[in-house]
Structure formats: structure tokens, C-alpha cells
Amino acid sequence: MDYHKYSELKLTPRLRAVADWVPQGARLCDVGTDHAYLPTALTLEGRISHAIASDIRKGPLERAAATLIRYGLTAEAVETRLCPGLEAIHAGEGNAVTICGMGGEMIVGILEAAPWTKEDVTLVLQPQRSQEELRLWLKANGYRIQRERVVAEGTRWYTVLLAEGGTETLDYSPAAALVGHPDRWVEEPSRLLYLQSVMEKQTKLLANLERSSKESDVEKRALTQQIIADLSGWILRLTKGKGQI
């Protein structure tokens, strides 16, 4: 069916960044789809061959169904499934998985329960928090981060990770776990602005820790100082390179 006659669906910056890394012709599994904007837009653009839009609750899937109707899409193009994570999706049904708008710890749980995602599957992940946990888990569990980018939307920063099954050979320092390894960063001006915002937060955290008399904060203080030192070096390099690492 020719879907190009229907109006284009404009994605928000963070979803657009995710969409751009979904391979051409992919069979997409969009986890936590909510309104199904991502699979709908990619279908309208002719970028994917099929999509499964999953969510853990009926309400989001009802919104997803409304989106599909609005843009004239059938279940042949985008199928909806009620399930936690990838629980009702099986190996071979998709070769690309997108997981957006969840904490890193929740993404870890979803991937842990679906080991088939290590086999010839492109992962595009957009963690809302706990990025450190996600990066370190991927490294320790047979996944490799290929690229990372950061996108501003309103007053918030969003990180998008492109990953696949494989052995990760890079070492992740506490700072790299927090903001991504420099060898995986996409060259983009937004990276410098993002690092500066993270540096500001870490500097405030260090100031609070230095005022603390708790013994447990001594180790936290040393760790934060190490992170700040690494961030400072990366920011300096980006500044000299006009935004390029």
C-alpha cells in the first residue's frame, strides 16, 4: 500500500534522532510506543518494511491505534501488541529495536529478558536517566555501543545510543559511563554544550560534598573530582576543535 499520499508526521527532536538511526528497510520493534509516532513516521517515510508497536498498558496502545487510523496505516504496516518490553516479541520478528523515554535500569531489564537482541539486531536506545548503568551493563553483557549523540529538546538534553551485539573493547571510566566514551561520540556542536551542562551539575555536586562531614561522602567526593577532571579535558579539546572531539 502506498502511504506517501498521507500527510507527514513531524517528530520531536529526540524522536527524530532515534528515527535517523533506524536502518532502511528494517523490521522495527518499538518498545513503549505510546502514541506510535515513531513507527508511524518511519512507515510514512518508507524507511521500514514493518513495525511492531508494543506497550505495557492498554491506554497507550489505544492512543497508538488512533494515530495509525489518523494516518491511514493498517496492521500490515504497524501491528500493536500489549506486553511488557519485548516479552511477546520473538527472535526473527524484528531486526531493529527502539526503546525511548525509559530509565536506563528499565532498558537493562528489557534487554536482559530478550537475549535474541544480541543477534543481528540494531538497537537505538534513548535513556531518560541512569545512563551509567545502561552503558556499563551493555559492555558487560555482550553488547557494543557504536555511536552516541545528544539532542536538546526544550530545556532538557537527551542521549541516543546506537548499539548491537558484540564485544566492547573500550574501557569506561566513571566520566565515560556518565556521558559516553569520546570514541563513540558523533561529531556535533551540541556535544560541547551538553558537556558544559553536565560539568555545571558535577561542580555543584562537588561543592555540596565538600561541605559534608559524612564519612560516606569522602569516596563520592573523590569520584566526582575524577569525573570533573575528565570532563574538563574533553571540554577543552572540544573548545579547541570548535565542537569536534
Side-chain angles (χ1 to χ4, degrees), residues 71-134:
Y71 287 92
L73 303 190
T74 66
E76 267 184 23
V78 182
E79 175 187 351
T80 60
R81 288 191 194 174
L82 180 66
C83 65
L86 292 160
E87 191 175 287
I89 302 172
H90 309 292
E93 288 195 281
N95 58 8
V97 172
T98 51
I99 310 177
C100 310
M102 301 182 194
E105 72 288 343
M106 188 172 290
I107 296 174
V108 163
I110 290 169
L111 296 177
E112 201 165 29
W116 58 266
T117 55
K118 296 179 189 178
E119 305 298 329
D120 298 319
V121 174
T122 297
L123 302 174
V124 191
L125 312 173
Q126 187 268 297
Q128 296 284 76
R129 57 190 175 279
S130 304
Q131 294 183 31
E132 307 99 307
E133 181 177 336
L134 176 59

Side-chain angles (χ1 to χ4, degrees), residues 31-228:
V31 178
T33 196
D34 198 5
H35 289 81
Y37 290 147
L38 184 62
T40 297
L42 287 171
T43 301
L44 293 173
E45 293 167 13
R47 288 277 305 283
I48 58 177
S49 60
H50 180 259
I52 299 171
S54 76
D55 210 289
I56 195 171
R57 292 174 294 138
K58 289 183 179 180
L61 283 187
E62 289 171 355
R63 292 193 289 272
T67 299
L68 300 178
I69 291 170
R70 187 182 314 132
Y71 287 92
L73 303 190
T74 66
E76 267 184 23
V78 182
E79 175 187 351
T80 60
R81 288 191 194 174
L82 180 66
C83 65
L86 292 160
E87 191 175 287
I89 302 172
H90 309 292
E93 288 195 281
N95 58 8
V97 172
T98 51
I99 310 177
C100 310
M102 301 182 194
E105 72 288 343
M106 188 172 290
I107 296 174
V108 163
I110 290 169
L111 296 177
E112 201 165 29
W116 58 266
T117 55
K118 296 179 189 178
E119 305 298 329
D120 298 319
V121 174
T122 297
L123 302 174
V124 191
L125 312 173
Q126 187 268 297
Q128 296 284 76
R129 57 190 175 279
S130 304
Q131 294 183 31
E132 307 99 307
E133 181 177 336
L134 176 59
R135 290 188 180 95
L136 295 177
W137 184 88
L138 289 170
K139 175 179 169 60
N141 288 274
Y143 295 88
R144 178 179 180 272
I145 296 173
Q146 297 176 288
R147 285 183 286 167
E148 293 199 20
R149 63 173 305 189
V150 288
V151 180
E153 187 172 303
T155 59
R156 295 192 61 178
W157 286 101
Y158 295 90
T159 298
V160 181
L161 312 179
L162 179 67
E164 62 180 5
T167 301
E168 179 56 81
T169 58
L170 295 175
D171 291 324
Y172 275 73
S173 67
L178 180 65
V179 300
H181 198 291
D183 288 358
R184 299 290 187 251
W185 295 344
V186 168
E187 295 184 350
E188 53 188 354
S190 56
R191 176 62 60 175
L192 176 58
L193 298 174
Y194 171 66
L195 291 184
Q196 289 170 335
S197 73
V198 175
M199 172 67 94
E200 184 178 350
K201 291 178 182 177
Q202 291 295 310
T203 302
K204 289 179 180 176
L205 173 60
L206 180 59
N208 290 333
L209 291 171
E210 287 176 337
R211 287 194 292 269
S212 172
S213 57
K214 292 181 181 178
E215 193 171 324
S216 60
D217 284 339
V218 173
E219 187 177 342
K220 292 179 184 176
R221 186 161 60 241
L223 177 62
T224 305
Q225 288 171 335
Q226 180 185 348
I227 290 173
I228 287 174

